[in-house]
Amino acid sequence: MGNRNGPATEEESTGDDEKAIPITRRRLVQLAGLGVTGATAAAMSQGASAGSSPDRLEIISSGSERIDYSFTTTDSITPIENNSFVSAEAAEESVVENDDGTVTVTGRMDPGYGDTFEISGDVVAFRPQTGSYRLYLNGERISRSDLVTDRTRRLEITTPDDGSVEYAMTTSGEITKVFDNGPLSAEESNDTITENDDGTWTVTGLTGNGYGDTFEFAGEVLDFSPLTGEFALKVDGESVTPHELLGEKRVYDREHSYSFEGVGDDWADVYLEVEENGKLVASTLDGATIDSDYYWISDDGTKAAARVFPDDRDAFQFDNLVLDVTIDGTADAYVDGRQSKVSRYPQPGASGDDWKGGFFWQDEETTTDTTTDSTTDTTTDTTTDSTTDTTTDTTTDTTTETGTDGIGIGGGSGYENIVTREDADYVVQSANGIQDALASASSGDIVFVSGDAVIDTGGRSMDVPSGVTLASNRGLDGAPGALLRTDETPQIMLRPQANSRVTGLRLRGHSPDRTVTHRDGISFDTPTYAMRLEGGDVEVDNCKVWGWPDRAISVQEAGSHVHHNYIFDNNGQGLGYGVAANDECLIEYNYFHNNRHSVTCAYNAPGYTARYNHFSPVSVMHICDVHDPFQGDTTIESNVIENGESRTWDNPAAEGVAGYSGGFDGGSLTVMDNWFFDQSTAYFEDFGAVSDSGNVYGDEGAHDPADVIPNHPGLGDRPWL
């Protein structure tokens, strides 16, 4: 048999739509379908006598790209692995018996190859609907529409007493309303059914307050939205999720896989760690299911944990090598499709066992936001978003301790002004959902991103309209807050407008672990900001912002307030600012760490006030920057500034306040009542325009930080330690 992973056999045009292909074992059945080997085709037809014997289905890839497929029958499917024609391969085909008695196979074909199955019953679904493939039934070419027998199924959409949902569904066959299902009957007016130009059917509707809608539909469900919200679905009486309704399979192009099958009488917890850049993802490979309530993947894609139940399977795909595997319970493991008898496999470089435990399905103190939204406006995320990362983040945010007045430096636990789900006008869980909700929101509205959401925003740049709040729940009962992340550049993720607020979120840029030195080249060609505050009087609070080599927060208009955030690891040579104050603003109660400059302002900016902040000793260059020749008025007061430490071997010691060696052009700088760890590098004190008063000096232990920042929680709570 030919090598499926090798190069495709060369094909030559014959002048019509078919191809003349050199005869190999894998090609022979394709030629039979073309009438080239008639005896072979006849033999196959005789092997599928009407009514009793199974039919033989061949799927042939005819294009230049790999084909992922799935199909379902009402009876049985048997892969043909050892025949002289086109063989299915066990490593790439998975057959699963569904709860409704149907059977589904999923598989993959390289360009120019094919798979063969014996099937009984009706084929009731086949994906993809279109593509570069051919189908042969008992040696005869057949179209997908002729192969698939549309079956009629019943869909019920239900809502809780205090919830509602606006939905849309598209199917390959006809949709009809059901009017005799009591409170779940479809409505004449609220529900609209349309036959589309391409032959598909779409229904849109609205239901709520404990009522529902019922429809019968033929064929496959091609689209359904929303994927989450205050509703439940049943198909023919069986509860399903929107993902299950869509028959979604998630199989990725990764080098390796590790799957776990529950075989005992109880669940097993499994843990997997792979090398850096492993790009580990949850997968439906080999019939596995993905249940976001029982799995977790780390932000860096190197660790995964899951709970696998009896007769269920969880799978992960990844690149690079395995560092550690632990199975706590009874489960069979499969590595790249081959069974492994190892239940514990720590290798050199593994990070140990400390991370294995405390997940939300194991601990009563869950960080998942399960609060029921009781507001009358319960708009939910109604978009199908292929960029949504369904990984559940379980990090507990303990950035701060509560002072006697609740200052909550750095935000997180101890911060008092947290927005909750109950406050929201819109609740969203995807990048498209955020974008759509912000586009619909008006001044005074709150768009809340679910606290356990981890969302890849891709290349989106999203306006936060004037007066609108974009929020999550960072710090509420230890919750980490929603994570919005991107690996794309250039990028300006959020553009808050006048009087808007961004609060309780984590915003991670494309370079979360970047470290630059003075030897690195300077590049100004990537405008990569987490936030560009384009309106005046914007509030940014209780956020965690990192990985933006240009600047984390850029202030463009006067009056903005940046407070109670943790801003770190934003460093690019020549750039790398925590807060860039291009207009007057107040920066207070923040933790700053490992930025090139934690705060800065342009030479022609009006200046900024930075007070009650705690700056770590790790900085590429001086910590507080006043760009020269400076024209504005800046005040730096009552901060803890751990200056004087060299971050890398080729860096000088980081000064506390500097950057104004070119002079002042009518501006002023006041540096007062701060604690500098190193007096000799506190600032350029040889420039007469600096007003210096009340500052104290000395390294750790020399002073009480609460004397500088009232109710400071103490040096033991610095988040970078």
Side-chain angles (χ1 to χ4, degrees):
M1 181 168 60
N3 178 8
R4 310 183 60 138
N5 298 315
T9 307
E10 293 183 1
E11 301 180 356
E12 299 176 359
S13 174
T14 62
D16 56 19
D17 291 337
E18 307 296 349
K19 302 286 185 179
I21 306 169
I23 297 178
T24 66
R25 292 174 63 192
R26 299 196 67 115
R27 292 296 189 181
L28 190 55
V29 75
Q30 183 176 359
L31 297 176
L34 302 177
V36 176
T37 58
T40 302
M44 289 164 47
S45 296
Q46 292 169 4
S49 59
S52 57
S53 299
D55 293 312
R56 180 169 293 206
L57 175 66
E58 292 94 30
I59 310 168
I60 307 295
S61 173
S62 59
S64 59
E65 296 183 357
R66 178 178 289 181
I67 294 288
D68 290 309
Y69 65 86
S70 68
F71 67 91
T72 300
T73 73
T74 57
D75 194 347
S76 66
I77 302 174
T78 303
I80 305 301
E81 299 180 12
N82 297 302
N83 72 98
S84 59
F85 307 121
V86 178
S87 296
E89 296 193 7
E92 296 193 15
E93 283 76 42
S94 171
V95 180
V96 177
E97 184 174 352
N98 304 310
D99 293 339
D100 62 359
T102 60
V103 179
T104 297
V105 65
T106 59
R108 169 177 290 183
M109 301 177 299
D110 284 333
Y113 294 123
D115 289 333
T116 303
F117 302 90
E118 285 188 345
I119 60 174
S120 296
D122 294 328
V123 177
V124 294
F126 189 98
R127 292 172 182 262
Q129 290 221 0
T130 60
S132 299
Y133 64 85
R134 296 173 183 164
L135 302 174
Y136 297 90
L137 186 65
N138 299 325
E140 297 294 329
R141 180 79 176 267
I142 189 171
S143 68
R144 179 192 172 280
S145 60
D146 289 336
L147 174 70
V148 176
T149 301
D150 285 343
R151 55 175 173 158
T152 299
R153 291 178 288 173
R154 174 172 288 208
L155 173 69
E156 295 175 333
I157 306 171
T158 62
T159 62
D161 291 340
D162 57 352
S164 64
V165 62
E166 187 173 355
Y167 59 85
M169 179 178 71
T170 299
T171 64
S172 60
E174 185 176 2
I175 304 172
T176 58
K177 298 179 181 181
V178 175
F179 296 111
D180 59 354
N181 198 23
L184 301 184
S185 296
E187 294 287 335
E188 287 283 3
S189 57
N190 285 347
D191 312 324
T192 302
I193 296 175
T194 304
E195 184 177 6
N196 305 310
D197 292 339
D198 60 0
T200 62
W201 292 70
T202 298
V203 59
T204 58
L206 171 67
T207 187
N209 302 319
Y211 290 89
D213 288 332
T214 302
F215 304 94
E216 288 186 344
F217 65 93
E220 300 176 60
V221 177
L222 305 178
D223 193 17
F224 186 91
S225 64
L227 294 178
T228 60
E230 296 178 323
F231 65 95
L233 303 176
K234 285 186 177 181
V235 175
D236 295 337
E238 297 290 333
S239 295
V240 297
T241 67
H243 291 284
E244 291 169 337
L245 179 67
L246 289 165
E248 288 188 350
K249 303 294 180 183
R250 282 187 273 175
V251 179
Y252 300 86
D253 186 14
R254 296 287 194 273
E255 186 177 357
H256 300 293
S257 67
Y258 221 114
S259 59
F260 304 89
E261 183 176 3
V263 294
D265 295 328
D266 204 352
W267 50 260
D269 282 337
V270 297
Y271 307 92
L272 173 66
E273 182 177 0
V274 301
E275 290 182 337
E276 187 177 359
N277 298 320
K279 297 186 291 186
L280 194 151
V281 291
S283 171
T284 59
L285 189 72
D286 297 332
T289 58
I290 298 176
D291 187 343
S292 59
D293 290 334
Y294 292 102
Y295 89 97
W296 166 89
I297 293 178
S298 62
D299 286 347
D300 62 2
T302 63
K303 298 183 183 72
R307 175 162 291 177
V308 57
F309 292 89
D311 300 321
D312 282 346
R313 182 184 288 249
D314 285 10
F316 300 95
Q317 291 181 262
F318 53 92
D319 293 326
N320 290 347
L321 299 178
V322 172
L323 289 177
D324 194 5
V325 175
T326 298
I327 300 176
D328 184 7
T330 305
D332 287 343
Y334 296 85
V335 184
D336 295 337
R338 297 183 298 275
Q339 188 168 2
S340 168
K341 299 297 185 181
V342 176
S343 61
R344 185 169 174 81
Y345 184 70
Q347 297 297 298
S351 57
D353 294 333
D354 289 347
W355 67 277
K356 300 173 184 175
F359 293 102
F360 48 93
W361 62 84
Q362 299 170 325
D363 196 330
E364 293 180 358
E365 295 181 355
T366 176
T367 63
T368 302
D369 183 1
T370 58
T371 307
T372 301
D373 183 7
S374 59
T375 59
T376 55
D377 186 353
T378 56
T379 304
T380 56
D381 181 357
T382 61
T383 57
T384 300
D385 183 10
S386 61
T387 66
T388 301
D389 186 342
T390 57
T391 304
T392 303
D393 182 42
T394 61
T395 308
T396 299
D397 195 316
T398 56
T399 303
T400 66
E401 298 293 337
T402 307
T404 56
D405 63 354
I407 64 165
I409 186 171
S413 298
Y415 184 60
E416 293 186 339
N417 195 17
I418 297 175
V419 174
T420 68
R421 186 185 180 99
E422 294 100 321
D423 302 323
D425 299 288
Y426 300 82
V427 179
V428 296
Q429 301 186 80
S430 69
N432 281 343
I434 296 171
Q435 197 164 28
D436 292 347
L438 289 174
S440 300
S442 56
S443 182
D445 286 345
I446 295 174
V447 176
F448 183 87
V449 188
S450 294
D452 60 348
V454 179
I455 299 171
D456 185 347
T457 63
R460 291 171 179 80
S461 185
M462 297 177 281
D463 283 357
V464 182
S466 296
V468 170
T469 295
L470 177 63
S472 191
N473 63 345
R474 177 177 178 242
L476 180 66
D477 298 326
L483 171 62
L484 310 187
R485 65 186 186 187
T486 183
D487 293 319
E488 295 193 25
T489 181
Q491 169 70 257
I492 300 176
M493 182 180 284
L494 300 176
R495 300 175 181 267
Q497 305 302 308
N499 298 295
S500 62
R501 181 186 179 196
V502 179
T503 181
L505 291 162
R506 293 174 299 150
L507 308 176
R508 196 218 73 186
H510 65 84
S511 298
D513 302 311
R514 187 184 183 103
T515 298
V516 300
T517 73
H518 284 292
R519 294 180 180 271
D520 291 315
I522 297 176
S523 174
F524 297 97
D525 61 354
T526 56
T528 56
Y529 312 167
M531 286 178 274
R532 189 176 191 267
L533 313 190
E534 297 185 344
D537 299 304
V538 175
E539 182 178 11
V540 178
D541 63 299
N542 192 28
C543 290
K544 201 170 181 178
V545 191
W546 77 103
W548 304 89
D550 190 327
R551 59 203 72 193
I553 301 169
S554 177
V555 179
Q556 300 298 120
E557 299 291 338
S560 289
H561 190 192
V562 181
H563 63 101
H564 295 92
N565 304 286
Y566 181 27
I567 302 171
F568 63 102
D569 288 353
N570 304 289
N571 53 75
Q573 184 60 296
L575 298 165
Y577 311 126
V579 179
N582 295 314
D583 210 328
E584 174 272 323
C585 60
L586 175 61
I587 306 165
E588 61 179 348
Y589 297 115
N590 302 285
Y591 275 126
F592 290 94
H593 170 69
N594 194 26
N595 305 295
R596 181 170 171 270
H597 301 311
S598 286
V599 293
T600 188
C601 64
Y603 69 93
N604 58 351
Y608 62 87
T609 296
R611 68 184 185 189
Y612 307 133
N613 301 288
H614 191 143
F615 299 92
S616 92
V618 181
S619 185
V620 178
M621 292 184 67
H622 49 276
I623 295 168
C624 300
D625 178 56
V626 183
H627 240 55
D628 60 349
F630 185 55
Q631 299 174 357
D633 298 301
T634 286
T635 299
I636 299 172
E637 65 172 319
S638 299
N639 301 284
V640 175
I641 305 175
E642 299 185 31
N643 65 304
E645 181 174 309
S646 178
R647 189 179 65 99
T648 60
W649 66 270
D650 66 338
N651 275 23
E655 294 152 330
V657 183
Y660 46 87
S661 58
F664 286 75
D665 186 11
S668 67
L669 172 61
T670 299
V671 183
M672 58 185 294
D673 299 331
N674 301 283
W675 173 13
F676 292 99
F677 272 31
D678 181 51
Q679 183 172 4
S680 65
T681 57
Y683 53 91
F684 284 149
E685 55 186 326
D686 59 347
F687 195 83
V690 176
S691 174
D692 170 17
S693 64
N695 298 299
V696 296
Y697 307 93
D699 58 13
E700 187 169 334
H703 305 282
D704 183 350
D707 291 339
V708 182
I709 302 175
N711 298 303
H712 190 294
L715 298 181
D717 291 308
R718 290 169 287 184
W720 51 85
L721 295 180

